[in-house]
Each structure stands twice: as structure tokens, then as C-alpha cells.
Amino acid sequence: MKDHIYKHIELTGTSTVSIEDAVNKAIKRAHKTLKNLSWFQIVETRGHIGAGAVQQWQVTIKIGFALES
């Protein structure tokens, strides 16, 4: 197995549906422009409240990807 060097970025995904949906949206968007996505870590979870209920989930994640040789 090769040793890898990883870089990570931080993104915040949003969703009116769920935390998982917010994470998936952030990963899907990163996948459009980055190669070798390998892992993610949830850093922060928060949301927007309106009319006494959750209106939007906001999830900040770190996404790691292997640098090419």
C-alpha cells in the first residue's frame, strides 16, 4: 500500500431536509471539482429556526483528498 499525502478543505452544506442531505450536498459539490476524495469529518452542526421549527440544517465538514504524485 502506498503512503499518501492528504489535503483537506472545509465546506458547509445546507438542506431543508436533513443533516445527512446537507453532508451529501457538500460532498457532491466538492466531487465536481476535486479528485481523490477519501474521507469527511463533521466539524459543526447548526440550523436556522423559523416559525418555531427547523427550517434549514447547516453542516460544516472537512473533506480530505489524496494529492497526486
Side-chain angles (χ1 to χ4, degrees):
M1 181 175 204
K2 257 173 71 167
D3 290 331
H4 296 283
I5 302 298
Y6 294 94
K7 178 170 179 62
H8 62 84
I9 60 169
E10 196 169 276
L11 300 172
T12 300
T14 62
S15 172
T16 57
V17 178
S18 68
I19 292 169
E20 285 184 36
D21 189 49
V23 169
N24 283 321
K25 285 179 177 180
I27 291 171
K28 185 176 180 178
R29 178 58 185 87
H31 178 71
K32 288 182 179 181
T33 56
L34 298 171
K35 296 179 184 177
N36 306 318
L37 299 180
S38 299
W39 55 267
F40 75 93
Q41 172 187 359
I42 295 176
V43 176
E44 184 176 24
T45 305
R46 60 187 176 277
H48 175 74
I49 299 170
V54 174
Q55 297 296 310
Q56 183 183 59
W57 293 99
Q58 302 164 349
V59 183
T60 300
I61 62 173
K62 287 183 182 177
I63 296 178
F65 54 96
L67 296 177
E68 294 181 346
S69 301

